[in-house]
PDB file of all heavy atoms in Angstrom:
ATOM      1  N   VAL A 420     -56.007  60.783  17.646  1.00  0.00           N
ATOM      2  CA  VAL A 420     -56.542  59.467  18.140  1.00  0.00           C
ATOM      3  C   VAL A 420     -56.036  58.325  17.151  1.00  0.00           C
ATOM      4  O   VAL A 420     -56.148  58.443  15.957  1.00  0.00           O
ATOM      5  CB  VAL A 420     -57.973  59.503  18.221  1.00  0.00           C
ATOM      6  CG1 VAL A 420     -58.705  58.072  18.361  1.00  0.00           C
ATOM      7  CG2 VAL A 420     -58.571  60.400  19.279  1.00  0.00           C
ATOM      8  N   VAL A 421     -55.518  57.277  17.774  1.00  0.00           N
ATOM      9  CA  VAL A 421     -55.167  56.105  17.128  1.00  0.00           C
ATOM     10  C   VAL A 421     -55.920  54.986  17.314  1.00  0.00           C
ATOM     11  O   VAL A 421     -55.874  54.403  18.495  1.00  0.00           O
ATOM     12  CB  VAL A 421     -53.582  55.854  17.372  1.00  0.00           C
ATOM     13  CG1 VAL A 421     -53.114  54.672  16.437  1.00  0.00           C
ATOM     14  CG2 VAL A 421     -52.720  57.011  17.060  1.00  0.00           C
ATOM     15  N   ALA A 422     -56.767  54.447  16.364  1.00  0.00           N
ATOM     16  CA  ALA A 422     -57.455  53.231  16.552  1.00  0.00           C
ATOM     17  C   ALA A 422     -56.942  52.198  15.722  1.00  0.00           C
ATOM     18  O   ALA A 422     -56.712  52.371  14.493  1.00  0.00           O
ATOM     19  CB  ALA A 422     -58.932  53.618  16.069  1.00  0.00           C
ATOM     20  N   PHE A 423     -56.637  50.927  16.318  1.00  0.00           N
ATOM     21  CA  PHE A 423     -55.990  49.970  15.601  1.00  0.00           C
ATOM     22  C   PHE A 423     -56.489  48.614  15.891  1.00  0.00           C
ATOM     23  O   PHE A 423     -57.187  48.522  17.061  1.00  0.00           O
ATOM     24  CB  PHE A 423     -54.518  50.109  15.849  1.00  0.00           C
ATOM     25  CG  PHE A 423     -54.068  50.115  17.291  1.00  0.00           C
ATOM     26  CD1 PHE A 423     -53.475  48.949  17.926  1.00  0.00           C
ATOM     27  CD2 PHE A 423     -54.263  51.210  18.099  1.00  0.00           C
ATOM     28  CE1 PHE A 423     -53.171  49.027  19.181  1.00  0.00           C
ATOM     29  CE2 PHE A 423     -53.864  51.245  19.307  1.00  0.00           C
ATOM     30  CZ  PHE A 423     -53.389  50.133  19.902  1.00  0.00           C
ATOM     31  N   LYS A 424     -56.105  47.554  15.373  1.00  0.00           N
ATOM     32  CA  LYS A 424     -56.536  46.196  15.573  1.00  0.00           C
ATOM     33  C   LYS A 424     -55.309  45.229  15.193  1.00  0.00           C
ATOM     34  O   LYS A 424     -54.490  45.787  14.581  1.00  0.00           O
ATOM     35  CB  LYS A 424     -57.738  45.798  14.859  1.00  0.00           C
ATOM     36  CG  LYS A 424     -57.622  45.668  13.427  1.00  0.00           C
ATOM     37  CD  LYS A 424     -58.856  45.315  12.827  1.00  0.00           C
ATOM     38  CE  LYS A 424     -58.746  45.109  11.274  1.00  0.00           C
ATOM     39  NZ  LYS A 424     -57.797  43.951  10.946  1.00  0.00           N
ATOM     40  N   LEU A 425     -55.407  44.048  15.619  1.00  0.00           N
ATOM     41  CA  LEU A 425     -54.422  43.112  15.294  1.00  0.00           C
ATOM     42  C   LEU A 425     -54.527  42.996  13.786  1.00  0.00           C
ATOM     43  O   LEU A 425     -55.670  42.788  13.255  1.00  0.00           O
ATOM     44  CB  LEU A 425     -54.505  41.852  16.037  1.00  0.00           C
ATOM     45  CG  LEU A 425     -54.350  41.680  17.453  1.00  0.00           C
ATOM     46  CD1 LEU A 425     -54.801  40.400  18.079  1.00  0.00           C
ATOM     47  CD2 LEU A 425     -52.843  41.883  17.619  1.00  0.00           C
ATOM     48  N   SER A 426     -53.479  42.887  13.099  1.00  0.00           N
ATOM     49  CA  SER A 426     -53.525  42.811  11.592  1.00  0.00           C
ATOM     50  C   SER A 426     -54.073  41.516  11.158  1.00  0.00           C
ATOM     51  O   SER A 426     -54.057  40.466  11.866  1.00  0.00           O
ATOM     52  CB  SER A 426     -52.097  43.039  11.074  1.00  0.00           C
ATOM     53  OG  SER A 426     -51.353  41.880  11.429  1.00  0.00           O
ATOM     54  N   ASP A 427     -54.654  41.406   9.961  1.00  0.00           N
ATOM     55  CA  ASP A 427     -55.147  40.317   9.283  1.00  0.00           C
ATOM     56  C   ASP A 427     -54.149  39.190   9.336  1.00  0.00           C
ATOM     57  O   ASP A 427     -54.398  38.024   9.564  1.00  0.00           O
ATOM     58  CB  ASP A 427     -55.735  40.547   8.099  1.00  0.00           C
ATOM     59  CG  ASP A 427     -56.980  41.416   7.997  1.00  0.00           C
ATOM     60  OD1 ASP A 427     -57.562  41.529   9.176  1.00  0.00           O
ATOM     61  OD2 ASP A 427     -57.319  42.160   7.054  1.00  0.00           O
ATOM     62  N   GLN A 428     -52.825  39.677   8.979  1.00  0.00           N
ATOM     63  CA  GLN A 428     -51.701  38.713   8.883  1.00  0.00           C
ATOM     64  C   GLN A 428     -51.491  38.093  10.159  1.00  0.00           C
ATOM     65  O   GLN A 428     -51.281  36.797  10.282  1.00  0.00           O
ATOM     66  CB  GLN A 428     -50.619  39.305   8.307  1.00  0.00           C
ATOM     67  CG  GLN A 428     -49.288  38.514   8.275  1.00  0.00           C
ATOM     68  CD  GLN A 428     -48.012  39.351   7.962  1.00  0.00           C
ATOM     69  OE1 GLN A 428     -48.129  40.344   7.324  1.00  0.00           O
ATOM     70  NE2 GLN A 428     -46.772  38.871   8.286  1.00  0.00           N
ATOM     71  N   PHE A 429     -51.364  38.973  11.210  1.00  0.00           N
ATOM     72  CA  PHE A 429     -51.093  38.304  12.562  1.00  0.00           C
ATOM     73  C   PHE A 429     -52.136  37.392  13.101  1.00  0.00           C
ATOM     74  O   PHE A 429     -51.849  36.354  13.734  1.00  0.00           O
ATOM     75  CB  PHE A 429     -50.970  39.473  13.554  1.00  0.00           C
ATOM     76  CG  PHE A 429     -50.676  39.107  14.937  1.00  0.00           C
ATOM     77  CD1 PHE A 429     -49.381  38.978  15.419  1.00  0.00           C
ATOM     78  CD2 PHE A 429     -51.678  38.711  15.901  1.00  0.00           C
ATOM     79  CE1 PHE A 429     -48.982  38.695  16.750  1.00  0.00           C
ATOM     80  CE2 PHE A 429     -51.264  38.358  17.214  1.00  0.00           C
ATOM     81  CZ  PHE A 429     -50.103  38.369  17.619  1.00  0.00           C
ATOM     82  N   LYS A 430     -53.466  37.692  12.854  1.00  0.00           N
ATOM     83  CA  LYS A 430     -54.548  36.917  13.233  1.00  0.00           C
ATOM     84  C   LYS A 430     -54.488  35.569  12.526  1.00  0.00           C
ATOM     85  O   LYS A 430     -54.910  34.481  13.021  1.00  0.00           O
ATOM     86  CB  LYS A 430     -56.022  37.582  13.085  1.00  0.00           C
ATOM     87  CG  LYS A 430     -55.998  38.686  14.025  1.00  0.00           C
ATOM     88  CD  LYS A 430     -57.496  39.218  14.040  1.00  0.00           C
ATOM     89  CE  LYS A 430     -57.728  40.151  12.882  1.00  0.00           C
ATOM     90  NZ  LYS A 430     -59.067  40.793  12.885  1.00  0.00           N
ATOM     91  N   THR A 431     -54.138  35.539  11.217  1.00  0.00           N
ATOM     92  CA  THR A 431     -54.018  34.378  10.483  1.00  0.00           C
ATOM     93  C   THR A 431     -52.968  33.425  11.010  1.00  0.00           C
ATOM     94  O   THR A 431     -53.109  32.141  11.151  1.00  0.00           O
ATOM     95  CB  THR A 431     -53.768  34.581   8.955  1.00  0.00           C
ATOM     96  OG1 THR A 431     -54.807  35.387   8.471  1.00  0.00           O
ATOM     97  CG2 THR A 431     -53.670  33.295   8.133  1.00  0.00           C
ATOM     98  N   GLU A 432     -51.919  34.008  11.477  1.00  0.00           N
ATOM     99  CA  GLU A 432     -50.852  33.261  11.825  1.00  0.00           C
ATOM    100  C   GLU A 432     -50.883  32.831  13.386  1.00  0.00           C
ATOM    101  O   GLU A 432     -50.381  31.845  13.785  1.00  0.00           O
ATOM    102  CB  GLU A 432     -49.394  33.966  11.845  1.00  0.00           C
ATOM    103  CG  GLU A 432     -49.063  34.345  10.346  1.00  0.00           C
ATOM    104  CD  GLU A 432     -47.904  35.265  10.213  1.00  0.00           C
ATOM    105  OE1 GLU A 432     -47.520  35.828  11.339  1.00  0.00           O
ATOM    106  OE2 GLU A 432     -47.373  35.516   9.075  1.00  0.00           O
ATOM    107  N   ASN A 433     -51.752  33.439  14.114  1.00  0.00           N
ATOM    108  CA  ASN A 433     -52.055  33.397  15.424  1.00  0.00           C
ATOM    109  C   ASN A 433     -53.467  33.198  15.820  1.00  0.00           C
ATOM    110  O   ASN A 433     -53.988  34.133  16.516  1.00  0.00           O
ATOM    111  CB  ASN A 433     -51.281  34.382  16.332  1.00  0.00           C
ATOM    112  CG  ASN A 433     -49.879  34.480  16.064  1.00  0.00           C
ATOM    113  OD1 ASN A 433     -49.092  33.683  16.522  1.00  0.00           O
ATOM    114  ND2 ASN A 433     -49.502  35.398  15.180  1.00  0.00           N
ATOM    115  N   PRO A 434     -54.220  32.241  15.332  1.00  0.00           N
ATOM    116  CA  PRO A 434     -55.699  32.370  15.473  1.00  0.00           C
ATOM    117  C   PRO A 434     -56.108  32.110  17.039  1.00  0.00           C
ATOM    118  O   PRO A 434     -57.308  32.505  17.224  1.00  0.00           O
ATOM    119  CB  PRO A 434     -56.092  31.011  14.677  1.00  0.00           C
ATOM    120  CG  PRO A 434     -54.970  30.317  14.605  1.00  0.00           C
ATOM    121  CD  PRO A 434     -53.817  31.122  14.589  1.00  0.00           C
ATOM    122  N   HIS A 435     -55.233  31.663  17.737  1.00  0.00           N
ATOM    123  CA  HIS A 435     -55.623  31.485  19.213  1.00  0.00           C
ATOM    124  C   HIS A 435     -55.494  32.736  20.024  1.00  0.00           C
ATOM    125  O   HIS A 435     -55.988  32.854  21.167  1.00  0.00           O
ATOM    126  CB  HIS A 435     -54.610  30.419  19.871  1.00  0.00           C
ATOM    127  CG  HIS A 435     -53.162  30.996  19.893  1.00  0.00           C
ATOM    128  ND1 HIS A 435     -52.338  31.082  18.839  1.00  0.00           N
ATOM    129  CD2 HIS A 435     -52.420  31.395  20.911  1.00  0.00           C
ATOM    130  CE1 HIS A 435     -51.218  31.579  19.217  1.00  0.00           C
ATOM    131  NE2 HIS A 435     -51.125  31.632  20.563  1.00  0.00           N
ATOM    132  N   VAL A 436     -54.991  33.926  19.469  1.00  0.00           N
ATOM    133  CA  VAL A 436     -54.996  35.153  20.175  1.00  0.00           C
ATOM    134  C   VAL A 436     -56.158  35.942  20.179  1.00  0.00           C
ATOM    135  O   VAL A 436     -56.696  36.233  19.161  1.00  0.00           O
ATOM    136  CB  VAL A 436     -53.703  35.920  19.617  1.00  0.00           C
ATOM    137  CG1 VAL A 436     -53.608  37.316  20.371  1.00  0.00           C
ATOM    138  CG2 VAL A 436     -52.489  35.163  19.873  1.00  0.00           C
ATOM    139  N   LYS A 437     -56.761  36.293  21.321  1.00  0.00           N
ATOM    140  CA  LYS A 437     -57.832  37.294  21.420  1.00  0.00           C
ATOM    141  C   LYS A 437     -57.372  38.565  21.460  1.00  0.00           C
ATOM    142  O   LYS A 437     -56.445  38.952  22.374  1.00  0.00           O
ATOM    143  CB  LYS A 437     -58.694  36.901  22.662  1.00  0.00           C
ATOM    144  CG  LYS A 437     -59.514  35.736  22.426  1.00  0.00           C
ATOM    145  CD  LYS A 437     -60.433  35.544  23.682  1.00  0.00           C
ATOM    146  CE  LYS A 437     -61.350  34.288  23.566  1.00  0.00           C
ATOM    147  NZ  LYS A 437     -62.385  34.228  24.738  1.00  0.00           N
ATOM    148  N   GLN A 438     -57.859  39.562  20.708  1.00  0.00           N
ATOM    149  CA  GLN A 438     -57.285  40.952  20.880  1.00  0.00           C
ATOM    150  C   GLN A 438     -57.593  41.665  22.217  1.00  0.00           C
ATOM    151  O   GLN A 438     -56.790  42.393  22.650  1.00  0.00           O
ATOM    152  CB  GLN A 438     -58.171  41.748  19.800  1.00  0.00           C
ATOM    153  CG  GLN A 438     -57.520  43.177  19.591  1.00  0.00           C
ATOM    154  CD  GLN A 438     -58.095  43.941  18.428  1.00  0.00           C
ATOM    155  OE1 GLN A 438     -57.688  43.675  17.299  1.00  0.00           O
ATOM    156  NE2 GLN A 438     -59.029  44.781  18.605  1.00  0.00           N
ATOM    157  N   ALA A 439     -58.606  41.207  22.902  1.00  0.00           N
ATOM    158  CA  ALA A 439     -58.952  41.851  24.131  1.00  0.00           C
ATOM    159  C   ALA A 439     -57.891  41.441  25.144  1.00  0.00           C
ATOM    160  O   ALA A 439     -57.625  42.184  26.160  1.00  0.00           O
ATOM    161  CB  ALA A 439     -60.199  41.412  24.623  1.00  0.00           C
ATOM    162  N   ALA A 440     -57.070  40.398  24.861  1.00  0.00           N
ATOM    163  CA  ALA A 440     -55.913  40.049  25.828  1.00  0.00           C
ATOM    164  C   ALA A 440     -54.866  41.019  25.647  1.00  0.00           C
ATOM    165  O   ALA A 440     -54.120  41.059  26.548  1.00  0.00           O
ATOM    166  CB  ALA A 440     -55.473  38.548  25.385  1.00  0.00           C
ATOM    167  N   VAL A 441     -54.698  41.612  24.562  1.00  0.00           N
ATOM    168  CA  VAL A 441     -53.659  42.636  24.501  1.00  0.00           C
ATOM    169  C   VAL A 441     -53.939  43.802  25.464  1.00  0.00           C
ATOM    170  O   VAL A 441     -53.111  44.253  26.124  1.00  0.00           O
ATOM    171  CB  VAL A 441     -53.589  43.213  22.983  1.00  0.00           C
ATOM    172  CG1 VAL A 441     -52.533  44.453  22.949  1.00  0.00           C
ATOM    173  CG2 VAL A 441     -53.178  42.167  21.994  1.00  0.00           C
ATOM    174  N   SER A 442     -55.137  44.241  25.540  1.00  0.00           N
ATOM    175  CA  SER A 442     -55.544  45.264  26.480  1.00  0.00           C
ATOM    176  C   SER A 442     -55.351  44.817  27.963  1.00  0.00           C
ATOM    177  O   SER A 442     -54.879  45.555  28.695  1.00  0.00           O
ATOM    178  CB  SER A 442     -56.986  45.585  26.258  1.00  0.00           C
ATOM    179  OG  SER A 442     -57.569  46.571  27.272  1.00  0.00           O
ATOM    180  N   THR A 443     -55.698  43.550  28.135  1.00  0.00           N
ATOM    181  CA  THR A 443     -55.430  42.990  29.564  1.00  0.00           C
ATOM    182  C   THR A 443     -54.086  42.974  29.896  1.00  0.00           C
ATOM    183  O   THR A 443     -53.591  43.357  30.987  1.00  0.00           O
ATOM    184  CB  THR A 443     -56.087  41.717  29.559  1.00  0.00           C
ATOM    185  OG1 THR A 443     -57.554  41.760  29.386  1.00  0.00           O
ATOM    186  CG2 THR A 443     -55.894  41.098  31.053  1.00  0.00           C
ATOM    187  N   LEU A 444     -53.166  42.510  29.025  1.00  0.00           N
ATOM    188  CA  LEU A 444     -51.714  42.411  29.348  1.00  0.00           C
ATOM    189  C   LEU A 444     -51.098  43.769  29.523  1.00  0.00           C
ATOM    190  O   LEU A 444     -50.179  44.005  30.342  1.00  0.00           O
ATOM    191  CB  LEU A 444     -50.968  41.727  28.186  1.00  0.00           C
ATOM    192  CG  LEU A 444     -50.871  40.164  28.239  1.00  0.00           C
ATOM    193  CD1 LEU A 444     -49.892  39.564  27.153  1.00  0.00           C
ATOM    194  CD2 LEU A 444     -50.484  39.717  29.604  1.00  0.00           C
ATOM    195  N   LEU A 445     -51.490  44.793  28.636  1.00  0.00           N
ATOM    196  CA  LEU A 445     -51.070  46.121  28.880  1.00  0.00           C
ATOM    197  C   LEU A 445     -51.258  46.629  30.388  1.00  0.00           C
ATOM    198  O   LEU A 445     -50.559  47.396  30.894  1.00  0.00           O
ATOM    199  CB  LEU A 445     -51.564  46.995  27.838  1.00  0.00           C
ATOM    200  CG  LEU A 445     -51.065  46.894  26.461  1.00  0.00           C
ATOM    201  CD1 LEU A 445     -51.878  47.741  25.469  1.00  0.00           C
ATOM    202  CD2 LEU A 445     -49.712  47.240  26.257  1.00  0.00           C
ATOM    203  N   ARG A 446     -52.430  46.343  30.813  1.00  0.00           N
ATOM    204  CA  ARG A 446     -52.804  46.712  32.161  1.00  0.00           C
ATOM    205  C   ARG A 446     -51.825  46.182  33.110  1.00  0.00           C
ATOM    206  O   ARG A 446     -51.518  46.904  34.254  1.00  0.00           O
ATOM    207  CB  ARG A 446     -54.197  46.386  32.617  1.00  0.00           C
ATOM    208  CG  ARG A 446     -55.337  47.192  32.013  1.00  0.00           C
ATOM    209  CD  ARG A 446     -56.655  46.649  32.408  1.00  0.00           C
ATOM    210  NE  ARG A 446     -57.745  47.488  31.867  1.00  0.00           N
ATOM    211  CZ  ARG A 446     -58.298  48.469  32.502  1.00  0.00           C
ATOM    212  NH1 ARG A 446     -57.854  48.803  33.723  1.00  0.00           N
ATOM    213  NH2 ARG A 446     -59.250  49.203  31.825  1.00  0.00           N
ATOM    214  N   THR A 447     -51.068  45.126  33.007  1.00  0.00           N
ATOM    215  CA  THR A 447     -50.114  44.682  33.928  1.00  0.00           C
ATOM    216  C   THR A 447     -48.930  45.605  33.878  1.00  0.00           C
ATOM    217  O   THR A 447     -48.069  45.649  34.825  1.00  0.00           O
ATOM    218  CB  THR A 447     -49.647  43.293  33.597  1.00  0.00           C
ATOM    219  OG1 THR A 447     -49.037  43.255  32.258  1.00  0.00           O
ATOM    220  CG2 THR A 447     -50.801  42.299  33.559  1.00  0.00           C
ATOM    221  N   ARG A 448     -48.749  46.475  32.927  1.00  0.00           N
ATOM    222  CA  ARG A 448     -47.675  47.471  32.884  1.00  0.00           C
ATOM    223  C   ARG A 448     -48.184  48.794  33.024  1.00  0.00           C
ATOM    224  O   ARG A 448     -47.380  49.818  32.892  1.00  0.00           O
ATOM    225  CB  ARG A 448     -46.973  47.290  31.496  1.00  0.00           C
ATOM    226  CG  ARG A 448     -46.205  45.961  31.342  1.00  0.00           C
ATOM    227  CD  ARG A 448     -45.226  45.881  30.338  1.00  0.00           C
ATOM    228  NE  ARG A 448     -44.401  44.726  30.367  1.00  0.00           N
ATOM    229  CZ  ARG A 448     -43.386  44.503  29.656  1.00  0.00           C
ATOM    230  NH1 ARG A 448     -42.899  45.366  28.688  1.00  0.00           N
ATOM    231  NH2 ARG A 448     -42.578  43.347  29.786  1.00  0.00           N
ATOM    232  N   GLY A 449     -49.452  49.030  33.589  1.00  0.00           N
ATOM    233  CA  GLY A 449     -49.993  50.282  33.873  1.00  0.00           C
ATOM    234  C   GLY A 449     -50.759  51.027  32.963  1.00  0.00           C
ATOM    235  O   GLY A 449     -51.395  51.928  33.264  1.00  0.00           O
ATOM    236  N   TRP A 450     -50.657  50.534  31.637  1.00  0.00           N
ATOM    237  CA  TRP A 450     -51.417  51.202  30.559  1.00  0.00           C
ATOM    238  C   TRP A 450     -52.880  50.888  30.553  1.00  0.00           C
ATOM    239  O   TRP A 450     -53.240  49.590  30.676  1.00  0.00           O
ATOM    240  CB  TRP A 450     -50.780  50.938  29.179  1.00  0.00           C
ATOM    241  CG  TRP A 450     -49.453  51.168  29.030  1.00  0.00           C
ATOM    242  CD1 TRP A 450     -48.341  50.201  28.970  1.00  0.00           C
ATOM    243  CD2 TRP A 450     -48.825  52.461  28.949  1.00  0.00           C
ATOM    244  NE1 TRP A 450     -47.113  50.966  28.828  1.00  0.00           N
ATOM    245  CE2 TRP A 450     -47.392  52.292  28.733  1.00  0.00           C
ATOM    246  CE3 TRP A 450     -49.232  53.807  28.809  1.00  0.00           C
ATOM    247  CZ2 TRP A 450     -46.449  53.290  28.538  1.00  0.00           C
ATOM    248  CZ3 TRP A 450     -48.490  54.870  28.574  1.00  0.00           C
ATOM    249  CH2 TRP A 450     -47.098  54.573  28.583  1.00  0.00           C
ATOM    250  N   ILE A 451     -53.654  51.800  30.289  1.00  0.00           N
ATOM    251  CA  ILE A 451     -55.085  51.632  30.055  1.00  0.00           C
ATOM    252  C   ILE A 451     -55.384  51.893  28.520  1.00  0.00           C
ATOM    253  O   ILE A 451     -55.450  53.067  28.193  1.00  0.00           O
ATOM    254  CB  ILE A 451     -56.074  52.415  30.979  1.00  0.00           C
ATOM    255  CG1 ILE A 451     -55.772  52.098  32.376  1.00  0.00           C
ATOM    256  CG2 ILE A 451     -57.433  52.246  30.633  1.00  0.00           C
ATOM    257  CD1 ILE A 451     -56.524  52.926  33.452  1.00  0.00           C
ATOM    258  N   VAL A 452     -55.619  50.844  27.791  1.00  0.00           N
ATOM    259  CA  VAL A 452     -56.021  50.868  26.405  1.00  0.00           C
ATOM    260  C   VAL A 452     -57.149  50.092  26.142  1.00  0.00           C
ATOM    261  O   VAL A 452     -57.068  48.871  26.247  1.00  0.00           O
ATOM    262  CB  VAL A 452     -54.741  50.459  25.508  1.00  0.00           C
ATOM    263  CG1 VAL A 452     -55.106  50.483  24.011  1.00  0.00           C
ATOM    264  CG2 VAL A 452     -53.451  51.289  25.718  1.00  0.00           C
ATOM    265  N   PRO A 453     -58.318  50.625  25.876  1.00  0.00           N
ATOM    266  CA  PRO A 453     -59.582  50.000  25.825  1.00  0.00           C
ATOM    267  C   PRO A 453     -59.640  49.133  24.421  1.00  0.00           C
ATOM    268  O   PRO A 453     -59.061  49.650  23.487  1.00  0.00           O
ATOM    269  CB  PRO A 453     -60.743  50.999  25.673  1.00  0.00           C
ATOM    270  CG  PRO A 453     -59.964  52.233  25.252  1.00  0.00           C
ATOM    271  CD  PRO A 453     -58.537  52.180  25.619  1.00  0.00           C
ATOM    272  N   ASN A 454     -60.343  48.037  24.595  1.00  0.00           N
ATOM    273  CA  ASN A 454     -60.645  47.295  23.377  1.00  0.00           C
ATOM    274  C   ASN A 454     -62.100  47.244  23.265  1.00  0.00           C
ATOM    275  O   ASN A 454     -62.802  46.880  24.216  1.00  0.00           O
ATOM    276  CB  ASN A 454     -60.110  45.751  23.489  1.00  0.00           C
ATOM    277  CG  ASN A 454     -60.484  44.984  22.371  1.00  0.00           C
ATOM    278  OD1 ASN A 454     -59.732  45.077  21.350  1.00  0.00           O
ATOM    279  ND2 ASN A 454     -61.387  44.043  22.611  1.00  0.00           N
TER     280      ASN A 454
END
Side-chain angles (χ1 to χ4, degrees):
V420 167
V421 181
F423 57 103
K424 66 180 185 65
L425 289 172
S426 67
D427 296 336
Q428 175 186 336
F429 182 91
K430 287 188 286 188
T431 300
E432 295 172 354
N433 304 281
H435 64 289
V436 175
K437 287 185 177 181
Q438 185 169 288
V441 176
S442 176
T443 301
L444 274 190
L445 287 175
R446 281 181 178 265
T447 67
R448 296 200 167 181
W450 301 109
I451 299 177
V452 177
N454 180 78

